[in-house]
Amino acid sequence: LNERDNHFTLDNDVDIQRLNHYLPESQKTKFLVDRPEINDLLVDLGVQCLNEADLLKRFVLPHFSMMPLSQKEAVCETILSKWSDLKVSSDFISVIKETHFVKQVSRESGVVFVQAADLFDPRNQFLRSIFDDDQTVFPSEEFLRDEWLVILSEIGLKSNVDKDTFLRCAWRVEEQENTSKAIKLFEYYSEHFAEFFDTHDFSQKLADIQCVPAEFDGGPICLYKFREIAVPKDRDLCFKVLPVIPDSVAPPQVMFSSLQIISPPSIGTVLKQIRELTDNGGTLDQWGYKFGTVEQVFTNLLSFLQENFDRLSPRVQEALCERPLVPVGTTLVKANRLFFRLAKDLAPFFYEVPRAFGAYDLLLRKLGVCDSPKPEDYASSLVELKEEMGDFKLNANELNSTIVVINLIANEGKNSTLRSSARSPIFAPNSKGVLINTGYLLQNDCPWLVQGGRLDLSLVHLTHPKLSKELCEQLHIKRMSECIVEVLEEGFQPKALLGPNEHISQIQEMMYSDTFNTTINQLKNRKPGVNNIHLKTFRVVPVELLRTQFLYSRTRQGRMDITKEPVGTYCLIDGNIIFVSKLPKGLTIELVVASTICDFYKISKQNIPGLSAMLASNQSNLDLIMKTMGMEGLCETNDEKRRGEPGHPLVKADLDLIQLKPLKVFAKDEIVAVKEEGNESGLVYGVVLESGGGGSLSRLRIRVGKEKVIDLISSEVLSLQSGVMATKQNGEVANGVSPDNLSCTNGLLQSVDDIQDDLEFNLTSNGDEKNVVTNQSALRPIDRRDIVHAVQDLLKSANLSLNDDVKLVMESNLELRDQMAQKDLHMDSLVREGRALAKNLSKGIDAFLCPITREPMEDPVICADGHTYERYAIEMWLRTHSRSPKTNQPLSSRQLIPNHAMRNTIEAMSENIDAVKKFANSYD
């Protein structure tokens, strides 16, 4: 009785024979032999009867670690065979979970026994793939059988991947630096993201593990920490400077913050990306990026810069202006070479902004892109090309493009103002195709000198043959004849041929004749620098030989000797002497003298044959010679040739056609007549550069000379009437004026009372049509003093005048009109700005539209795909769909998270829009 608590009987289900194999010897004495005749007595005495579960729990499992291997295996066989009965006992389950009875392969000591919870279920494919080379984490030997794995999974074997198991897998990947396992790791993470979501501690631990697979710009995949990588949606912004995680393993956007992923990348990172892409000389021939085109990448970069440009420092902004940021084909182009509109293809100097980048016009304008190029831009592009090319020759494409650009400089710049105001020098190709500053170029108007080999052409730069004479004149490129003079060689004294020479005397006699001198005077070029020495002061002297040298006059360096061969000249004017040397067969004295006279007086070489024939003739047949050689009437067209030239006096034909129309619309480049201040010769031609408008008194900018531009009021400018209209008036020009009465018009010969209202209306109204030419300064607008002054001038021309009272009333009326007009303009401006602001704000609300309803959200929530939706809309969607309505990708979770920040923003935006609309509509 005293030991009844230490002795037990066994249930009939207990296999006594198997029990003897695993029951410890020390425990066998506690079990009574089964004797039916005393069973009732034992029950009455309170002796406990144990089933198999109780037996194992109390007397076997606590001693399991002390048993020999054979006994342990016997216990395991019993558990396996009796599991259906044993698992019913919760106490048994609790004990066996804590028992180290599962075989595990140990690296040090072979097989050891561990708890089931210490091992992974090998049936889990993910765990098996991560630990495929480590059998120590799985059960071994007989415990790998399915029947055992079922039992072990019920008592703690890790069959599912919880947060701790996932972290253990991540550490395993980091330890092995195995990228293929890393990809499997995060593929599992993306598929089961809901199981790991919203656990800050877990995310922080995972963020510190170097297990994230990512690649640098097509390179091999390596492992990084989350804070060191970029996500696929930001790939275009940083693939050159940050590794990017593959799309298949990228975590959901809602996890970016907790995993320490920076998205979008920092400004510094994007600037490094830009530097990497643009440091290769501006070409994209070797584009190897497989995730997007050049256009796509730079579209995203420009979009990022447009959003963040104002956050950049001035120094960085200036640096970006100098970077080639816009791809045109395979060429990266700087902003200062880009324009929104180009009339023609000007590559490689200028490019038109591709349509794909038109949406970033605000950024492009800040970087320096303009609507269309100006003359200064053309000049700057030539400077840049010169810096790139140095002294190398242009190829055919570059040469042709250069000629086109130079023509644009000349045509659009009207170089009289361009040369004085342009900050950049102008470069043009020389005869060898090398870009040279136009200040050092010379027009080859003396080809015989160049072809004769008498000049050292290494010391001078001649213009390329493709540069026309007119173009060279517009660029102010000097002629050889203006800069190179031929003089007797220093120290050389010509030796005169002695004795009379009738031939020379006859030539000199004809040279002194009035007819010849009149012809020369008519043929003279009127441009500055033309000699005015009379021919009658010259004498012709024959000599044995002439040795000459060519001196090149340069502004800063003085004269430079560019002679290569001193012998070769047969006629030269020195002072008042015309030296003529011995001539080779085929040349005549008349011919060389006529040629020398043409050079001296800057007469066209085409006149040499005629002048030579005149020198060889006599007075009796001079008229016949002149007719035969076409010398008669050569200068009758001189005035016609210069008709309309700025600064040239009006010819008689145009004096009959002038009219005064102060309210006329003057067109750009229109030829007009003005009385130039300080010019006593009367009216001169002018060309309109800029016009203030029409329908009212306006100010005009007019060129009246090669280097002279003046500003005048339209009442001081005379237009030219059509010759047809003049003819219809029977020779009397309507509204005609004389040079001495510039302001007289029949339409204004009325009394002051009759014209006052019309003048106030017409002279102060704004014309609809404008022809504005860009110049170095804007035209000053017409003010009240100009209007009153113009009225007084017009009335004075009609012998009328304004008295003081009328003048005062008119000035006051004009001042009041100005003030009212300014107030109306200010109010209109405020209303327009208000409406524009409301419109822009309304566009801004588009960012807060639900992707499903396309309406502004009232209760925004974040879905597992990282996008925000209206709550009721996404809830309805999730009832029938398992994919994202935005991306069509499978959703890992149906959990919705309120987006409080967006909700507050939407409410504030809506209130502002309503307030602005109310303000704008209140002035309708």
Side-chain angles (χ1 to χ4, degrees):
L1 288 174
N2 291 335
E3 295 186 3
R4 64 179 181 273
D5 293 334
N6 295 323
H7 291 82
F8 308 92
T9 59
L10 297 174
D11 188 93
N12 293 332
D13 294 334
V14 177
D15 188 343
I16 299 299
Q17 184 176 359
R18 179 177 291 176
L19 178 65
N20 288 326
H21 288 95
Y22 63 79
L23 189 66
E25 292 295 331
S26 61
Q27 303 298 321
K28 290 181 178 180
T29 59
K30 294 183 179 181
F31 298 97
L32 301 176
V33 178
D34 182 20
R35 296 177 63 183
E37 63 272 20
I38 64 172
N39 285 345
D40 292 339
L41 175 62
L42 294 176
V43 171
D44 292 339
L45 292 175
V47 177
Q48 296 183 41
C49 180
L50 302 179
N51 59 24
E52 193 102 42
D54 293 333
L55 174 65
L56 292 169
K57 177 186 69 175
R58 296 179 62 178
F59 300 105
V60 178
L61 295 181
H63 303 282
F64 187 87
S65 61
M66 309 293 293
M67 295 179 181
L69 179 61
S70 59
Q71 281 187 313
K72 291 180 178 179
E73 291 178 343
V75 172
C76 292
E77 285 297 325
T78 299
I79 294 173
L80 179 62
S81 61
K82 296 295 184 72
W83 180 254
S84 59
D85 296 326
L86 295 175
K87 67 180 181 180
V88 177
S89 172
S90 59
D91 291 338
F92 172 79
I93 294 297
S94 298
V95 173
I96 198 171
K97 284 183 177 180
E98 301 297 326
T99 302
H100 294 68
F101 77 98
V102 185
K103 286 184 179 179
Q104 176 196 39
V105 176
S106 172
R107 294 186 180 90
E108 294 82 13
S109 55
V111 176
V112 296
F113 291 87
V114 297
Q115 296 177 359
D118 293 335
L119 300 173
F120 295 145
D121 190 342
R123 296 173 298 176
N124 187 302
Q125 293 299 321
F126 169 69
L127 294 173
R128 196 156 190 87
S129 65
I130 297 298
F131 296 96
D132 58 348
D133 55 351
D134 185 6
Q135 297 303 314
T136 64
V137 299
F138 300 110
S140 65
E141 298 184 4
E142 68 269 22
F143 289 94
L144 287 173
R145 302 203 305 266
D146 289 341
E147 56 267 31
W148 261 118
L149 292 175
V150 171
I151 295 172
L152 295 178
S153 63
E154 296 181 28
I155 59 175
L157 183 68
K158 294 180 179 178
S159 300
N160 297 319
V161 181
D162 57 15
K163 297 179 179 66
D164 291 334
T165 302
F166 189 86
L167 289 174
R168 187 173 171 183
C169 294
W171 285 318
R172 179 69 176 178
V173 169
E174 180 184 39
E175 177 186 357
Q176 293 187 330
E177 298 182 359
N178 191 312
T179 56
S180 61
K181 289 184 179 181
I183 291 175
K184 294 177 181 178
L185 179 75
F186 285 99
E187 284 178 346
Y188 185 91
Y189 180 85
S190 297
E191 293 170 1
H192 301 81
F193 135 80
E195 300 171 17
F196 307 108
F197 179 67
D198 204 22
T199 306
H200 184 71
D201 183 59
F202 166 76
S203 298
Q204 289 283 32
K205 291 179 179 178
L206 183 60
D208 289 330
I209 303 175
Q210 188 170 319
C211 61
V212 185
E215 63 177 346
F216 258 117
D217 190 22
I221 294 180
C222 300
L223 300 183
Y224 304 89
K225 295 181 181 180
F226 272 114
R227 69 176 68 94
E228 299 169 344
I229 59 98
V231 292
K233 75 181 187 69
D234 299 326
R235 186 192 305 272
D236 293 346
L237 300 177
C238 56
F239 67 86
K240 284 282 188 182
V241 294
L242 283 183
V244 183
I245 189 171
D247 293 85
S248 61
V249 297
Q253 186 168 347
V254 293
M255 297 292 290
F256 287 0
S257 176
S258 58
L259 291 174
Q260 302 178 24
I261 296 175
I262 301 175
S263 178
S266 66
I267 293 177
T269 298
V270 176
L271 292 176
K272 290 179 181 178
Q273 169 84 345
I274 291 173
R275 184 176 60 193
E276 289 292 325
L277 288 173
T278 57
D279 268 349
N280 60 351
T283 59
L284 300 168
D285 295 331
Q286 305 297 324
W287 185 257
Y289 182 58
K290 62 183 178 180
F291 296 98
T293 62
V294 172
E295 186 177 280
Q296 172 190 321
V297 170
F298 279 88
T299 294
N300 290 327
L301 287 171
L302 292 179
S303 176
F304 181 90
L305 288 177
Q306 182 160 281
E307 294 177 3
N308 298 277
F309 192 79
D310 292 336
R311 297 170 57 192
L312 302 175
S313 68
R315 182 178 61 83
V316 174
Q317 291 178 352
E318 291 176 5
L320 286 175
C321 293
E322 297 301 319
R323 283 271 169 183
L325 293 179
V326 180
V328 181
T330 58
T331 303
L332 283 173
V333 183
K334 293 181 182 179
N336 63 357
R337 290 196 180 185
L338 280 168
F339 299 91
F340 291 107
R341 292 185 302 277
L342 279 182
K344 59 176 69 177
D345 183 10
L346 297 176
F349 293 98
F350 300 116
Y351 300 84
E352 191 167 74
V353 175
R355 290 185 179 181
F357 305 111
Y360 310 108
D361 59 322
L362 294 178
L363 169 67
L364 294 176
R365 290 183 188 279
K366 291 178 181 178
L367 292 174
V369 177
C370 299
D371 289 322
S372 57
K374 300 176 183 178
E376 304 90 89
D377 299 320
Y378 297 135
S380 297
S381 70
L382 292 174
V383 172
E384 292 184 14
L385 183 62
K386 173 62 178 177
E387 292 173 352
E388 295 173 7
M389 298 294 299
D391 292 331
F392 291 99
K393 297 179 181 179
L394 301 170
N395 64 33
N397 292 318
E398 293 167 338
L399 177 62
N400 287 338
S401 297
T402 300
I403 299 298
V404 172
V405 169
I406 293 172
N407 273 285
L408 288 171
I409 292 176
N411 294 336
E412 296 191 18
K414 303 300 181 185
N415 290 278
S416 63
T417 57
L418 174 66
R419 291 292 291 174
S420 60
S421 63
R423 297 180 179 178
S424 302
I426 299 175
F427 286 85
N430 67 5
S431 56
K432 297 179 181 179
V434 178
L435 284 177
I436 301 295
N437 190 318
T438 53
Y440 296 100
L441 283 174
L442 292 177
Q443 298 182 53
N444 184 8
D445 64 339
C446 302
W448 54 91
L449 284 180
V450 177
Q451 297 164 3
R454 300 194 59 202
L455 300 180
D456 186 351
L457 297 180
S458 64
L459 300 176
V460 292
H461 296 286
L462 304 180
T463 56
H464 194 275
K466 288 192 174 184
L467 293 176
S468 67
K469 177 181 177 182
E470 180 183 2
L471 180 57
C472 291
E473 292 293 335
Q474 290 176 314
L475 293 174
H476 303 281
I477 298 176
K478 295 183 178 180
R479 300 184 184 91
M480 286 181 62
S481 58
E482 295 174 337
C483 299
I484 299 177
V485 295
E486 185 179 15
V487 298
L488 289 173
E489 187 178 50
E490 187 175 357
F492 175 75
Q493 292 293 332
K495 184 179 180 180
L497 296 176
L498 302 177
N501 191 322
E502 293 184 5
H503 192 186
I504 294 294
S505 299
Q506 181 183 348
I507 292 174
Q508 189 162 289
E509 180 182 354
M510 180 54 64
M511 192 173 66
Y512 290 165
S513 68
D514 293 336
T515 302
F516 191 83
N517 276 268
T518 300
T519 301
I520 293 297
N521 288 331
Q522 290 176 339
L523 292 174
K524 280 183 184 179
N525 193 326
R526 298 187 183 182
K527 292 184 178 180
V530 175
N531 289 300
N532 291 316
I533 303 175
H534 202 281
L535 271 176
K536 292 184 178 182
T537 63
F538 289 107
R539 60 191 180 92
V540 181
V541 177
V543 295
E544 286 279 351
L545 177 70
L546 284 176
R547 293 181 64 88
T548 61
Q549 63 183 117
F550 296 92
L551 300 179
Y552 178 22
S553 300
R554 299 176 69 172
T555 305
R556 296 181 180 177
Q557 293 142 330
R559 288 189 171 187
M560 177 173 60
D561 187 358
I562 59 171
T563 308
K564 183 177 182 182
E565 174 55 55
V567 178
T569 295
Y570 299 104
C571 185
L572 178 72
I573 296 178
D574 183 35
N576 63 343
I577 300 176
I578 301 178
F579 290 109
V580 179
S581 69
K582 291 183 178 181
L583 301 176
K585 190 175 182 180
L587 290 181
T588 65
I589 297 177
E590 293 87 353
L591 188 63
V592 296
V593 170
S595 176
T596 302
I597 290 174
C598 285
D599 289 340
F600 186 78
Y601 288 112
K602 301 187 185 302
I603 297 173
S604 173
K605 289 282 187 178
Q606 67 183 10
N607 296 303
I608 291 177
L611 294 176
S612 175
M614 291 179 69
L615 290 174
S617 67
N618 52 48
Q619 289 289 345
S620 61
N621 63 353
L622 192 57
D623 292 339
L624 177 60
I625 293 295
M626 293 183 65
K627 287 180 180 181
T628 303
M629 300 302 297
M631 301 295 291
E632 275 193 342
L634 280 176
C635 297
E636 292 179 1
T637 59
N638 265 6
D639 281 341
E640 283 297 318
K641 287 182 178 179
R642 302 195 66 187
R643 187 177 180 183
E645 181 181 318
H648 188 71
L650 260 68
V651 301
K652 184 178 184 304
D654 285 331
L655 283 172
D656 296 332
L657 300 176
I658 57 175
Q659 60 180 353
L660 178 62
K661 287 191 173 182
L663 308 184
K664 178 184 183 299
V665 177
F666 287 88
K668 175 188 173 184
D669 295 330
E670 179 179 350
I671 297 174
V672 295
V674 298
K675 187 170 179 61
E676 186 181 6
E677 184 178 354
N679 189 334
E680 299 179 357
S681 62
L683 296 175
V684 297
Y685 288 109
V687 174
V688 177
L689 297 179
E690 188 173 351
S691 168
S696 65
L697 194 68
S698 59
R699 195 177 301 277
L700 305 175
R701 178 159 293 158
I702 300 174
R703 186 196 309 279
V704 292
K706 188 174 181 180
E707 302 289 344
K708 188 172 183 180
V709 176
I710 60 175
D711 288 352
L712 297 174
I713 299 174
S714 55
S715 61
E716 301 173 309
V717 178
L718 297 169
S719 59
L720 300 177
Q721 183 182 209
S722 169
V724 175
M725 293 296 297
T727 303
K728 290 182 178 180
Q729 296 290 336
N730 295 321
E732 294 181 4
V733 180
N735 294 335
V737 296
S738 66
D740 298 326
N741 191 3
L742 300 183
S743 301
C744 180
T745 65
N746 295 333
L748 291 178
L749 295 181
Q750 306 172 38
S751 67
V752 172
D753 295 335
D754 293 334
I755 68 170
Q756 180 176 345
D757 292 336
D758 288 340
L759 282 174
E760 289 185 3
F761 173 76
N762 289 329
L763 296 179
T764 59
S765 64
N766 291 320
D768 294 329
E769 183 177 353
K770 294 183 179 180
N771 282 315
V772 178
V773 179
T774 303
N775 208 314
Q776 65 271 29
S777 62
L779 284 173
R780 184 170 60 85
I782 297 295
D783 55 26
R784 295 190 304 276
R785 289 175 298 177
D786 294 326
I787 295 173
V788 174
H789 176 71
V791 172
Q792 288 177 322
D793 286 346
L794 292 173
L795 294 177
K796 182 179 179 181
S797 67
N799 295 320
L800 300 173
S801 64
L802 292 174
N803 60 43
D804 293 340
D805 292 338
V806 174
K807 180 179 177 181
L808 181 61
V809 170
M810 186 175 179
E811 289 181 343
S812 300
N813 194 359
L814 290 171
E815 182 177 3
L816 181 59
R817 283 172 183 256
D818 287 345
Q819 293 174 356
M820 292 299 294
Q822 290 175 4
K823 180 179 179 182
D824 291 342
L825 287 174
H826 180 64
M827 292 303 299
D828 290 344
S829 174
L830 288 177
V831 172
R832 284 196 303 271
E833 290 176 2
R835 288 175 178 165
L837 180 57
K839 184 177 181 180
N840 291 336
L841 289 174
S842 298
K843 291 180 181 178
I845 204 70
D846 290 348
F848 306 118
L849 299 183
C850 171
I852 299 176
T853 65
R854 301 306 299 165
E855 296 290 337
M857 291 177 282
E858 296 181 359
D859 187 7
V861 292
I862 303 174
C863 187
D865 62 357
H867 295 283
T868 300
Y869 305 88
E870 181 66 54
R871 180 184 289 278
Y872 80 85
I874 190 63
E875 287 178 344
M876 291 182 63
W877 172 274
L878 293 176
R879 292 173 189 168
T880 55
H881 299 80
S882 61
R883 290 178 175 271
S884 165
K886 183 83 171 176
T887 66
N888 200 33
Q889 297 296 315
L891 293 171
S892 58
S893 171
R894 294 176 182 269
Q895 184 177 2
L896 302 176
I897 304 171
N899 193 333
H900 298 297
M902 182 173 286
R903 181 172 184 169
N904 295 337
T905 303
I906 293 172
E907 291 175 353
M909 179 75 78
S910 299
E911 292 176 1
N912 290 336
I913 292 175
D914 292 341
V916 173
K917 284 183 177 179
K918 183 178 179 180
F919 165 77
N921 294 334
S922 64
Y923 289 95
D924 284 343

